[in-house]
Amino acid sequence: MARKTKEEAEKTRKNILDAALSTFSIKGYMRSSLNDIAIAAGVTRGAIYWHFKDKVDLLEALWEDIDRCHKNTKEDVVRDGFYSIDELRKNILEWFYEIEDNPRLNTYYKFMAYKIEYHEELEPVLAHQREEKRMMMKSLEEDFRQLQNANRMRADIEPGHAALMTFAFVRGLMEHWLFDRTAFSMKKTVPVLLDNFLGGFQASPQKG
């Protein structure tokens, strides 16, 4: 049997990731077997083991693949810094709109929010995610601190608290929309809610 080309192998890997996302989103993580995923992908279990060590490795690869396909990841919202509350608002809105418009992204986030049963076997994945979240929060806190030092943010708000509130607001709003997409319109409602939320951080205009 001829060996697959690099392009063919990459296509097989991508098909497996897509099949895993579809299967996980329907059956949940724990109830999905590698055999289920192999059938959905039209490959053998051996093909899955060629690309992934086990189901946990497959899940982590899916997470990384989703992160790469974002135009703006959650980390991008804060990784490169922002120089005003308005710029942060713009970055967050772009992230929300991309999730609404990209079926693959909203399927993945709904799965992670409502179809994954956390189990000890997932601890390596969770540990990785926790570390990235800590780095993201630290970056966000530092950016808020710089805004504060530039008198662009209220002086009475602890930057770490602002970072935590922002993360909780964004995640809560996203999960609420994923749970019931008829509850509100991303493009009509989120800008208003975000203005109300971030407006509470703005420094009062200095009197001349």
Side-chain angles (χ1 to χ4, degrees):
M1 182 181 296
R3 296 185 62 181
K4 286 188 175 182
T5 65
K6 183 178 180 180
E7 292 75 16
E8 289 172 332
E10 184 57 34
K11 182 178 180 181
T12 297
R13 185 179 188 275
K14 180 68 166 57
N15 286 343
I16 293 170
L17 289 172
D18 288 343
L21 176 58
S22 176
T23 304
F24 289 156
S25 68
I26 295 170
K27 301 185 69 172
Y29 176 81
M30 295 303 297
R31 293 181 60 196
S32 297
S33 69
L34 290 181
N35 192 54
D36 294 329
I37 296 168
I39 292 172
V43 300
T44 64
R45 281 172 57 95
I48 293 181
Y49 282 119
W50 176 262
H51 292 278
F52 308 100
K53 182 173 63 177
D54 51 29
K55 193 166 70 167
V56 173
D57 187 43
L58 176 53
L59 177 62
E60 185 149 28
L62 177 60
W63 172 46
E64 292 172 353
D65 184 66
I66 289 291
D67 192 58
R68 283 193 298 270
C69 81
H70 260 293
K71 293 178 181 177
N72 297 285
T73 67
K74 297 187 297 298
E75 291 75 18
D76 287 333
V77 170
V78 297
R79 179 185 292 140
D80 297 328
F82 51 88
Y83 303 99
S84 69
I85 296 295
D86 286 341
E87 187 176 358
L88 174 61
R89 174 190 183 276
K90 176 178 177 291
N91 291 345
I92 292 175
L93 283 178
E94 287 178 352
W95 185 73
F96 270 124
Y97 295 165
E98 188 181 7
I99 290 175
E100 180 180 38
D101 294 337
N102 189 321
R104 190 164 188 261
L105 292 179
N106 57 56
T107 296
Y108 172 79
Y109 284 112
K110 185 173 183 179
F111 152 65
M112 289 297 291
Y114 297 111
K115 285 294 189 84
I116 189 165
E117 310 88 338
Y118 289 104
H119 187 271
E120 60 183 9
E121 75 177 43
L122 292 176
E123 184 53 36
V125 178
L126 298 178
H128 188 180
Q129 292 182 347
R130 278 193 292 268
E131 183 58 29
E132 284 216 353
K133 190 173 296 182
R134 291 186 187 110
M135 292 173 63
M136 184 175 67
M137 292 291 291
K138 184 176 180 181
S139 176
L140 187 57
E141 178 180 352
E142 181 56 31
D143 285 328
F144 275 127
R145 181 170 287 107
Q146 291 185 21
L147 288 184
Q148 210 170 52
N149 291 339
N151 296 316
R152 295 178 179 177
M153 183 175 124
R154 284 171 45 187
D156 61 331
I157 299 178
E158 166 62 40
H161 293 170
L164 182 59
M165 285 189 289
T166 301
F167 184 85
F169 175 85
V170 169
R171 177 165 181 168
L173 199 56
M174 181 189 72
E175 291 190 1
H176 182 40
W177 180 80
L178 290 170
F179 183 72
D180 180 6
R181 298 182 196 183
T182 68
F184 60 91
S185 164
M186 280 277 199
K187 292 183 174 65
K188 291 182 180 179
T189 306
V190 171
V192 177
L193 298 179
L194 199 54
D195 284 343
N196 291 336
F197 175 74
L198 292 177
F201 294 166
Q202 293 272 19
S204 300
Q206 294 184 346
K207 297 181 180 180

